[in-house]
Each structure stands twice: as C-alpha cells, then as structure tokens.
Amino acid sequence: CAVKAAQVLSEIAKNEEMKKPCIEADLVLTLIPLLESTDQEMLLHAGRAIGRICYDNRDLQEELVKVGVITSLVRILTDYAESEPLVHVDLLALCNLADLDTAKEALSKTKVAEQLVKQLRRAENHERLEIVFEVLQALAENDALKVQLVEAGVQEVLSEILLRLQGSSQAEDTCIVKAASDLIVSLLLGEKYLPSGIFKTLPSGRMQTVICRVSFCSLGEHFLMASQSELNGNCVRMVQLGVIHQLLDLLEKHVESGDVSVQHAALSALRNLAIPVVNKIQMLEEGVAERIQALLRSEMPPVQFKLLGTLRMLADGQADAAEILGQDPMLLSRLVQWCSANDHTGVHGEANRLLASILRHNRSQEVVKAIQEAQGVKHLVSMTTSEHAAMQNEALNALAIASAIDLETLEESFKESQLVQSLHKLLQDDNTSPEVKYNSLGLLCSLLNSGDLRQEIEEDKIKETLEQLCSHSNANVVKEAVTTLQVLRGET
C-alpha cells in the first residue's frame, strides 16, 4: 500500500492547511527512505509529497539536506533522465533547496552539473528551460559548482540557446534569453575560479556577438546589486580577461548599423568596468576614450546618456584624461549642445556632469580656455542651482578649480551668467545643504580675486549674509564664512 499512501499524501499536501499536520506526524522523515526505491511511481509520489510539505519551510529544507536527500535527488536525475514526470519533480525539489548553502555544498560533491547540463540540452519547452535555469543560477553562486558547470560544457549549450532564439519577439523567448544571459554573467564574474576562462571557451564570430549583446545587458544589472568590494574585484578581473576589446569591437561594428541595444549594453558595461582606478588607467592606455567618441554623432538619447556616463567615469580622478577630453573641440561642442537638451533630462544632466568633471579633474589653463570658448561656463553656473545637491557641489567645485587656474579668462562669463547673484541666493536659502553653502563660500572667496566680481559682491550686499552665516549651526560653514568675510574686508 506504500505507493498509494504516498499518492494520497502528495494530494493532501497540496492544501496549505494540511502541511502542519503532516509535519507534526513526522511524515517527511517517513517518506525520505522511499526515495531509495526503484519503483518510479513510488519515487514520483514520495517526491511530490516531500516537496509540497517542505515548500517554503526553510527549517524542514535544512533537515532534508542534513539527512542526505541531495544524494537521492541526484541519483534519480541520473538514473531516470528520460522520465519526464520524475525529472520535473526532481528539478522542482532542487529548485527549492538550491538557495541553501548546505545544499550547494552537498551538490558540489556530486555530479549534478553534468546532469543539469544534459537536461538543459534536451529541454524542449519553456517551462522546463526556466526550471533548469533557476537551479543553475542558484548553483552558479557556488565557486566549486561554477567550475563544474563550465567543465560540463554549460557555455556551449547557452551559446546554442541564444543563437536559436536571437531576434525572437515572443515574450517567452525573451525570458529564456534573459535567463541565459544572466547565467553567462554569473559565470563570467567567477573568472578567478575558472582554470581556462569561460569567455575564451565561447565560440567566436557571430555567436559571440549574440552572447555579448545579451550578457552585457545583464552585467549592468549585476553591478547595480553588487557590493563595492565585490564590484571592484569583478571589474578588475574582467578587464584583465580582455573583455574591453570584445566590447570595443562590438561597439564599432554597430555604430554604423545604429543597433541601439548593442551600443547601450556595451557602453553600460564599459562605464561600470571603469569604476576601479586601476581599470581607468588601463582603459585609457588602450584608447577607450578615443574609440568610443565615434558615438558622439549618435542621435539616440539612450546611447548619448551611456556615452556621457562612460566618459565621465573614465575622467574621474584622471587629470590626463580630463586634459585630453577638455581640449577636444568636437566633444566640447557636442557637450554644450547636450547641456541644452531639456527634452532629455538624463542626457542634459550627464552632459553637465561630464563638463564639470573635466574641469574638476584637470589642471590645465588650456582646458579652461577651451571650455570658455565652447560657451560651456554658463551651463555650469546653471548647474549650481540644480535640484540635486550632488550636482550643485560638482558644479561649485569645478568652477572654484577653474577660477583658481584662470579667473581672468572666466570673469566675463561669470558676469554674464550672474554667478555672484546665484551664489548669494544659495547662501540665503535655508533649504540649501551645509555642504553646498560651504562650497559656495569657497567659490565666492576665489571670485574676490577679481576687481569687477568683487564689486558685484559688494553691490549685492553679500556681506550681511556672510555675517549671518558666522552663526550657522554647521562648523565648516561658519569657518568658511569667517574666512570669506575677512577676505572681503581686506583683513587677509
């Protein structure tokens, strides 16, 4: 009667209210030995019953792993690989357990990777593919299992799936492509554990272009969720792996064709890879900044936005890069044009931030003159009144550095754009953050070195505002207000 009893239990356990009585009756521990049976019907019903009783119950799932259920599941997947019902139940069980570290550890001591790759290859419908991908994605979080998956040839199967589904507009196919690309990214990010490197094992030419296209979109999502230390380590490993050249080649192939999705994905990856300082240096040495400027003529806002973000990340903290970018007439002309693109807020913001970044990180009088001639100064003055404090501070710091380098060149633009009046409003506004007030005072202090601007400051009666700020609640603001007041009075 055991088979029939197991079948009854599997039906009873469908009801949420019946799970607790099943657990209290110790039915799980009673059912587990049945997974050693050679009767496929017994395995099917016992597996379903255990899975339903233990679903969403972490304590019970941990108990299952502890008593050795993983070995039974892998045995069933191996011995009955052609049985659709059994494989389905087995995969669901693995799917429920795979998030547990103890389960991953137990699975790493089996040949589950080979069996899952085999099931991925023979999967004929979307539902089966999705279940296998869900299990693989969980297992790819384990270093040892990553290696086993690559050794089992998972990358080759993923290549075949992506190539088969490329260009499909069906929602189900899109989900599979996304799952495959996410898995590739998980394996790529584990490069330090792989003996030969997954990227080197992927087919070249057209197939690799497909893989690059989808997997780097997913890579961008990973970067958003990763911790800073994890992010830096992964980025450095990927640049060392030579991914930069793959991305640049991909970009150049699609500049003329105008394939926005490829350009957007590649630029997203380049921007994130440029975050670690060591990567910035290597990427600049390899001519990334020059090569991606071919996209300046793009009329597609998503590409413009990512291009600006990538260039800004490359220039961050790199004086040489800022000097090169700051003396490129075509780039500056396009930047100033995009700074006025109020119909595309993202492009408008990134263009202003890149302009500010070039000034902040450069130490060259030639760059200051080039930005002045390109009429970029007025946009930075406008940026000081942005609704985002981060952008305000970037603009204020950029203008302060530029003023220290060559105030004489900027003097006329500052007067035309009413910089003094803008700074006064920031200092008077109670809603202005202390950091913005502090940076505004620093810039104001620099402007006092100009006779004409000093006169504007005196005429605008900023002295009274400075005196009030000397009793501000923030100590840094008070200190800077006192210093600025002393300079204004001619005391220092």
Side-chain angles (χ1 to χ4, degrees), residues 325-339:
L325 296 174
Q327 295 183 71
D328 185 321
M330 182 182 174
L331 172 63
L332 291 179
S333 173
R334 204 71 164 116
L335 266 186
V336 171
Q337 181 185 341
W338 286 336
C339 282

Side-chain angles (χ1 to χ4, degrees), residues 366-428:
E366 297 305 313
V367 171
V368 176
K369 287 180 178 177
I371 290 176
Q372 158 69 17
E373 288 171 6
Q375 300 185 344
V377 175
K378 64 182 179 181
H379 294 292
L380 291 174
V381 174
S382 295
M383 187 177 167
T384 63
T385 59
S386 165
E387 60 183 20
H388 304 292
M391 290 182 67
Q392 288 180 288
N393 287 319
E394 287 172 13
L396 291 165
N397 286 327
L399 292 172
I401 290 170
S403 300
I405 294 172
D406 191 350
L407 180 57
E408 187 179 348
T409 294
L410 300 171
E411 192 175 45
E412 199 57 40
S413 289
F414 284 167
K415 288 163 68 178
E416 289 175 4
S417 58
Q418 297 189 313
L419 175 60
V420 169
Q421 290 72 23
S422 294
L423 292 176
H424 196 184
K425 287 178 183 176
L426 288 174
L427 294 173
Q428 287 178 312

